[in-house]
Amino acid sequence: MRVTHGAPLAPLTTLAIGGPAALLAELHVPADFPEFVKLAGGCPGRPVTLGHGSNVLVDDSGSTSAVLLMATRGLRITGYDDHRVLIEVQAGHPFTDFVDTTIAEGLTGMEMLVGIPGTVGATPVQNVGAYGQEISDTLVDVVAWDWELGRIVTMDATACRLGHRTSIFKHTRRWTLLSLRFALRRSELSAPVTYRTVATELGIPVGGRVPTAEAARAVLTVRRGKGMVMDSTDTDRRTVGSIFLSPEVSPGQADRLRAQNAPVNHFADGSTRVSASWLIQQAGFELGRPITAGTRISSLHYTLVADDGASAESFAQAIDIVLQQVLRHTDVLLTPEIDFIGDWHFRPARSSGRAGDDAADSRR
Ligand SMILES: Cc1cc2nc3c(=O)[nH]c(=O)nc-3n(C[C@H](O)[C@H](O)[C@H](O)COP(=O)(O)OP(=O)(O)OC[C@H]3O[C@@H](n4cnc5c(N)ncnc54)[C@H](O)[C@@H]3O)c2cc1C
């Protein structure tokens, strides 16, 4: 295990923002984890677990708590039945590699999640999902270190309380996920394609099925068009994907929004939600528009990205400005999807506060 003191966290995140970690430990070998538990005991607060940093905003002052960079790798088949294959994956394994492997092995359950950056261990944290599939469809259980109990625990998928971009692991440092098991079905055909954009790309009706690899290719094409894959040459590459959760709407609101051509979708937890990006567009933000120092709306999609000069403070301010303007224009309060790492806590300005709006207006 490699341990450094004062290492900058910015290069370990896709936004490339954030100060140093008082103690950073890179875990490559699962058996070294107990050594980290001892080291973390010498630092204040509960340690932070970091994967590929693709869904976090790290504070400019960094973290005084110990940071564990989860870099373990490996996946293996642990069992079969007639239709399903059980696969155990180390938490630090790249998620894109896991998804590609399942497709190559003739399994369905992950093909719509192709191109999502990050580690496998982070996927239950916000029940990662896209284009009609989410981790809750296939997760069997996780093995985790429970910092409160001070021991290893195994939690089945029900105990993980996976919801729409949330779980028992979201907004807490209580657990560090070490390994995970998934059950995937054997099938040459993908799950039904429920998103219109993907169905259009494939030239099939919504609800149709195609070979899993074809479905994955179509999803990747749609994602690329929105800057939703990590591409080092992309000018919008300093991104965390979606900044905000898609807010839940009532049946009446859903009908009204559909009449305006809003992307409204049903989710596995029973909720109906409207796209946050669509709301941002409705609130009057244009693609590429600068928001605060070093931050702007992506040139491809209605989300925030960072450029030179961005800081955690300016990025958090930009989040607040977008949130306030969407509230004012659409009466919908957005909630940030990303996690805030470090010794600060992001507090959106109160809905009555107009500072954000004023700042945004002055940049039009
Ligand atoms: C271009 C782009 C596209 C994206 N598209 C999607 C999408 O379609 N759908 C979607 O759901 N997300 C999407 N995301 C968000 C992100 O990819 C996922 O949330 C991903 O699971 C984060 O993985 P990570 O390893 O980078 O986690 P990090 O960003 O490092 O961490 C995220 C959170 O998980 C915690 N965490 C990480 N690893 C562990 C662990 N082993 N144990 C306990 N806690 C842990 C961290 O403490 C933090 O709170 C996208 C991001 C980008 C940049």
Side-chain angles (χ1 to χ4, degrees), residues 14 48-56 70 91 116-119 121-123 125-130 165 175-177 223 227-230 239-242 337 339 341:
T14 54
V48 174
T49 311
L50 206 55
H52 291 171
S54 63
N55 208 31
V56 294
M70 189 56 83
I116 299 179
T119 54
T123 57
V125 174
Q126 67 159 10
N127 185 20
V128 157
R165 303 298 158 267
W175 294 277
T176 291
L177 275 63
R223 292 186 70 94
M228 282 288 162
V229 287
M230 291 307 295
T239 169
V240 278
S242 305
E337 174 187 302
D339 290 331
I341 300 254

Side-chain angles (χ1 to χ4, degrees), residues 299-319:
S299 55
L300 295 169
H301 192 50
Y302 292 92
T303 189
L304 286 167
V305 296
D307 289 320
D308 286 352
S311 64
E313 195 184 338
S314 71
F315 205 87
Q317 274 169 0
I319 290 173

Side-chain angles (χ1 to χ4, degrees), residues 32-102:
D32 289 345
F33 184 71
E35 195 186 327
F36 176 70
V37 174
K38 274 193 213 138
L39 282 172
C43 300
R46 283 214 179 115
V48 174
T49 311
L50 206 55
H52 291 171
S54 63
N55 208 31
V56 294
L57 176 59
V58 178
D59 187 19
D60 294 321
S61 65
S63 173
T64 50
S65 305
V67 177
L68 178 71
L69 186 68
M70 189 56 83
T72 53
R73 286 185 79 128
L75 41 87
R76 67 186 184 103
I77 292 175
T78 60
Y80 302 91
D81 62 25
D82 285 351
H83 304 289
R84 299 191 317 164
V85 177
L86 274 181
I87 307 175
E88 182 189 69
V89 194
Q90 293 302 314
H93 200 91
F95 184 60
T96 49
D97 182 76
F98 176 43
V99 173
D100 292 349
T101 304
T102 64

Side-chain angles (χ1 to χ4, degrees), residues 23-361:
L23 184 154
L24 175 72
E26 271 175 54
L27 185 74
H28 293 273
V29 179
D32 289 345
F33 184 71
E35 195 186 327
F36 176 70
V37 174
K38 274 193 213 138
L39 282 172
C43 300
R46 283 214 179 115
V48 174
T49 311
L50 206 55
H52 291 171
S54 63
N55 208 31
V56 294
L57 176 59
V58 178
D59 187 19
D60 294 321
S61 65
S63 173
T64 50
S65 305
V67 177
L68 178 71
L69 186 68
M70 189 56 83
T72 53
R73 286 185 79 128
L75 41 87
R76 67 186 184 103
I77 292 175
T78 60
Y80 302 91
D81 62 25
D82 285 351
H83 304 289
R84 299 191 317 164
V85 177
L86 274 181
I87 307 175
E88 182 189 69
V89 194
Q90 293 302 314
H93 200 91
F95 184 60
T96 49
D97 182 76
F98 176 43
V99 173
D100 292 349
T101 304
T102 64
I103 294 166
E105 292 296 320
L107 302 170
T108 175
M110 292 277 171
E111 61 275 16
M112 308 296 179
L113 305 181
V114 68
I116 299 179
T119 54
V120 173
T123 57
V125 174
Q126 67 159 10
N127 185 20
V128 157
Y131 300 103
Q133 276 177 347
E134 41 189 29
I135 285 303
S136 56
D137 300 336
T138 46
L139 185 72
V140 175
D141 53 26
V142 306
V143 174
W145 176 262
D146 184 331
W147 291 95
E148 194 168 309
L149 299 179
R151 63 176 169 84
I152 297 269
V153 293
T154 300
M155 301 163 77
D156 66 17
T158 310
C160 297
R161 294 199 217 141
L162 303 159
H164 179 73
R165 303 298 158 267
T166 191
S167 74
I168 198 167
F169 309 116
K170 188 89 180 166
H171 302 313
T172 173
R173 297 185 194 170
R174 178 169 167 180
W175 294 277
T176 291
L177 275 63
L178 300 170
S179 67
L180 306 87
R181 283 197 312 159
F182 297 87
L184 288 119
R185 292 191 175 277
R186 291 186 186 285
S187 171
E188 285 175 9
L189 290 184
S190 68
V193 177
T194 54
Y195 274 63
R196 195 162 26 95
T197 46
V198 180
T200 305
E201 178 62 33
L202 286 162
I204 61 165
V206 169
R209 298 173 72 192
V210 292
T212 43
E214 267 181 44
R217 265 196 298 276
V219 169
L220 267 184
T221 304
V222 171
R223 292 186 70 94
R224 277 212 181 90
K226 298 201 284 181
M228 282 288 162
V229 287
M230 291 307 295
D231 183 348
S232 56
T233 59
D234 188 347
T235 50
D236 295 326
R237 65 186 173 280
R238 288 176 64 184
T239 169
V240 278
S242 305
I243 297 282
F244 298 103
L245 293 168
S246 295
E248 191 167 1
V249 291
S250 67
Q253 280 176 309
D255 289 344
R256 276 194 300 280
L257 287 162
R258 281 201 187 95
Q260 298 172 58
N261 275 330
V264 175
N265 290 295
H266 295 294
F267 288 88
D269 66 352
S271 60
T272 303
R273 293 169 183 274
V274 59
S275 152
S277 313
W278 185 84
L279 292 169
I280 293 169
Q281 185 184 9
Q282 291 301 301
F285 290 98
E286 313 89 38
L287 293 177
R289 191 214 279 189
I291 306 292
T292 57
T295 78
R296 62 179 163 85
I297 303 288
S298 154
S299 55
L300 295 169
H301 192 50
Y302 292 92
T303 189
L304 286 167
V305 296
D307 289 320
D308 286 352
S311 64
E313 195 184 338
S314 71
F315 205 87
Q317 274 169 0
I319 290 173
D320 206 33
I321 288 168
V322 173
L323 188 150
Q324 295 297 335
Q325 192 159 321
V326 168
L327 181 65
R328 187 158 57 100
H329 284 258
T330 69
D331 212 23
V332 177
L333 181 64
L334 293 175
T335 311
E337 174 187 302
I338 57 170
D339 290 331
F340 296 85
I341 300 254
D343 303 327
W344 62 314
H345 296 286
F346 172 63
R347 280 184 216 90
R350 295 157 65 89
S351 52
S352 57
R354 305 298 286 259
D357 293 337
D358 296 341
D361 289 344

